[in-house]
Amino acid sequence: MNPLCSRCNLVVYPTEKVNCLDKYWHKGCFSCEVCKMTLNMKNYKGFEKRPYCNAHYPKSSFTCVTDTPENLRLKQQSKIQSQVLYREDFEKNKGKGFSVVADTPEMQRIKKTQDQISNIKYHEEFEKKKVGEGPQIQPGNPSAGAYQQPAAPQNYHYDPAPEPARQAAAAPPPGAGKRYRAVYDYSAADEDEVSFMDGDVIVDVQQIDEGWMYGRVERTGQQGMLPANYVEAI
């Protein structure tokens, strides 16, 4: 039995039959759905089992994907697979320790800024302590002390303690401190500080507070204060 044409619903005989898009057509009925241009097996384009020419082929547009049960199941499955991969990577890397952070220019800038802040805070605290101590009265004759006491406020405001006195008080005797090795370069920011280079040996080191030490650079012979986080004990 001969099939019917998908366009005109008339019988299609073998001599004029076109079998395409899972349907049967007369050769003259196999035309574009829009402009009715007759097509053949070489120049047609199928869309939803309908023939179109190249100019009128429907442009497909993207639509939002709804959260159907199937899509939700696929999303949950992808999430589970991601968690499995994360746990596998974690187990592989567990016990290997932390990686060393590269000494990039940005890290050096941050480190230098922190050091400058530490220096400023140290000098501020030192100046506050120096001002809070006030003038020192030498022990001696009680009558002499009583006589000099009225002039003490004038001497305090007029003649502050000189900076070299701080260095003399902080300087340790030779050979009394520990030995340290510099792990960074440091340029002195004040007269009572000492400059050194990475790898220099610092001898006669004594701890001043949590952030600062006093020592002598073995290479240059210079003595002075230095930041404690720039050296390590040897």
Side-chain angles (χ1 to χ4, degrees), residues 35 69 99 111 118 146 210 230:
C35 64
S99 59
K111 186 184 300 181
S118 177
E210 184 178 354
Y230 273 60

Side-chain angles (χ1 to χ4, degrees), residues 23-34:
K23 298 178 181 180
Y24 296 97
W25 316 76
H26 290 106
K27 291 181 180 180
C29 292
F30 189 63
S31 59
C32 176
E33 291 287 326
V34 178

Side-chain angles (χ1 to χ4, degrees), residues 1-4 11-14 17:
M1 181 177 180
N2 294 322
L4 299 179
V11 176
V12 180
Y13 295 99
K17 182 172 63 176

Side-chain angles (χ1 to χ4, degrees), residues 178-195:
K178 299 180 181 180
R179 292 170 61 87
Y180 285 76
R181 178 181 290 106
V183 294
Y184 303 104
D185 295 343
Y186 181 75
S187 297
D190 207 343
E191 295 179 357
D192 60 349
E193 298 179 5
V194 64
S195 300

